Amino acid sequence: MEYCLFTEPQEGFDYDDQLAFALAAERLGFDAYFRSDHYLRMAPGDPGPGGTDAWTTLAGLARETSTIRLGTLVSSATHRIPGVLAVQVAQVDRMSGGRVEFGLGTGWFEREHHAYGIPFPAKRFGILEEQLEIITGLWQTPVGERFDFSGRHYTVEDSPALPKPVQSRVPVIVGGGGPTRTPAIAARFATEFNIGFVAEDVVAEKFAGVRAACESIGRDPETLKLSVAMPTLAGATEADLERRAANLGRPLEGFRDAPGGIVGGRDEIMAKVERLRALGAERVYLQLLDIRDLEQVEFLGSEVLPHLPR
C-alpha cells in the first residue's frame, strides 16, 4: 500500500504554502505529494492569492524536495496542448530525478475555463484520448527517431520527441466514474486507475469495470494499479476534528455524512484503509483541504502512517 497527500491549492494557497506542505509530507514518510490542476476557487470565500499553475509548482517542488514523488490528480486535457504538456512533464521529471507521476483527465470545471479564456468544448473524451496517445507516443519514441500523429483534434509532424523523461515509463493516472470510455482509456494508456469521493460499493464497482476493460483488450488487470482518493479530516480528538471542520467552513457532520471520505482518529482511518485494501486499492490519496494546517499533516504522519499496512 502507498499513501499520498493530495491538495487543492486553488482554494487560496500560494507556492510557499505548497512547499511547506510537501516538505512536511516528505519528512514524515508519505509516498507522494499530488495537487489538483485548477485555476479558480470552487468554494465560496476569499480566493487568497488566486490559482497557481500545477506544472510550474511541481517544477519548483522538484528542485526543493529530494525523495517524495510528485504529480497531478489530475491535469485537465483542456488546459494545455499535448506536445507542450509532454515537454513540461518530461522536463519536471528530469528536474526531480525521475519522481513525476502524470494524471490526466477530460476537465470539467466550465467556469474556470471562461474565467481564463480557455476553450471548453462540449465533447472532451476524444481530446483526452488523443492527448494520451501523443504524449505517451512522444515519450516512447527512441532517441534519433521521429514521431507523427494525425487525429481529429491534433496533428504532430516530424517531431524529434524530446526531451525524454528520466523514467523509462512515467506513471500515467487515469480516473473517473464513467462506465465505459473512462475504463477503456485507462486500460489502454494508464499505469494506475483512480476513483475518488465515492462510497465503498461504488469503488468496488469501478474497480471491477476497469479490470474487465483490461481483460477485453488482452491486458493483465494485475498490471494496473488501483487507487482511491478520499477527502480526509483527521485528528486525535473530537475537538480537533470540529476545529478543522470549522476552519473549512463546514460542520463536522457534513464530513462524516459524505460517503467517500475519511474522518476520525488513528483507529477510524486504519479501519477505512483496511476496507479499501480489501476492495483492491493499492494506493490511497488523503485529500487535505487546509494546506496551512501542518499539524494535521504531522498527526497523520507520526500517529497514523506508521500503523497503516504496507
Side-chain angles (χ1 to χ4, degrees):
M1 290 288 287
E2 298 172 335
Y3 303 98
C4 311
L5 296 187
F6 166 40
T7 66
E8 302 277 353
Q10 76 278 351
E11 297 305 303
F13 305 98
D14 62 15
Y15 175 78
D16 288 339
D17 295 322
Q18 295 172 72
L19 173 61
F21 189 98
L23 289 172
E26 181 173 71
R27 174 177 56 81
L28 291 163
F30 287 95
D31 292 290
Y33 167 82
F34 275 72
R35 58 154 292 164
S36 60
D37 183 15
H38 289 293
Y39 295 111
L40 194 67
R41 181 180 173 94
M42 298 169 196
D46 182 2
T52 53
D53 181 75
W55 287 102
T56 303
T57 298
L58 294 176
L61 295 179
R63 306 303 293 178
E64 298 196 77
T65 60
S66 57
T67 59
I68 197 165
R69 298 188 68 78
L70 304 165
T72 51
L73 198 70
V74 291
S75 287
S76 172
T78 56
H79 287 174
R80 302 166 189 88
I81 58 175
V84 171
L85 183 54
V87 170
Q88 289 174 318
V89 177
Q91 185 175 2
V92 177
D93 193 54
R94 299 189 73 84
M95 293 168 71
S96 71
R99 292 183 283 127
V100 157
E101 305 198 10
F102 174 56
L104 190 67
T106 58
W108 62 270
F109 190 20
E110 185 172 2
R111 188 158 55 88
E112 80 180 335
H113 291 72
H114 297 321
Y116 287 97
I118 304 169
F120 188 73
K123 296 182 178 180
R124 300 180 299 283
F125 271 104
I127 291 172
L128 171 64
E129 195 163 7
E130 288 190 19
Q131 287 210 1
L132 285 165
E133 189 154 2
I134 291 168
I135 292 166
T136 57
L138 288 167
W139 290 341
Q140 293 164 9
T141 299
V143 174
E145 297 186 14
R146 300 278 169 158
F147 177 79
D148 295 275
F149 176 84
S150 180
R152 179 179 177 184
H153 303 282
Y154 304 103
T155 299
V156 177
E157 297 179 352
D158 197 32
S159 174
L162 296 170
K164 298 297 184 200
V166 170
Q167 298 174 91
S168 58
R169 185 174 186 185
V170 173
V172 173
I173 304 161
V174 171
T180 53
R181 293 201 71 178
T182 297
I185 291 171
R188 183 179 174 195
F189 294 104
T191 59
E192 176 182 333
F193 171 77
N194 176 264
I195 184 69
F197 321 125
V198 296
E200 291 169 28
D201 60 333
V202 180
V203 171
E205 174 192 335
K206 298 307 176 184
F207 281 179
V210 78
R211 288 190 185 107
C214 287
E215 291 171 348
S216 72
I217 62 170
R219 176 178 177 177
D220 180 358
E222 296 300 316
T223 65
L224 183 66
K225 183 185 294 184
L226 302 176
S227 67
V228 180
M230 295 276 170
T232 301
L233 200 69
T237 68
E238 194 75 3
D240 289 337
L241 296 173
E242 290 176 351
R243 172 172 51 83
R244 291 194 166 111
N247 288 341
L248 294 169
R250 292 170 57 187
L252 179 56
E253 292 73 18
F255 286 94
R256 289 199 187 280
D257 293 342
I262 298 177
V263 180
R266 185 190 70 183
D267 292 345
E268 291 91 342
I269 296 170
M270 289 172 59
K272 179 73 171 184
V273 168
E274 286 289 2
R275 293 197 300 273
L276 294 173
R277 183 169 73 154
L279 294 175
E282 301 164 82
R283 171 181 270 190
V284 177
Y285 295 86
L286 304 174
Q287 184 198 48
L288 301 182
L289 296 176
D290 187 352
I291 297 177
R292 296 191 189 101
D293 186 1
L294 296 182
E295 289 184 4
Q296 183 172 212
V297 179
E298 192 76 34
F299 172 75
L300 284 165
S302 61
E303 301 297 327
V304 180
L305 187 61
H307 301 280
L308 296 178
R310 285 289 188 177

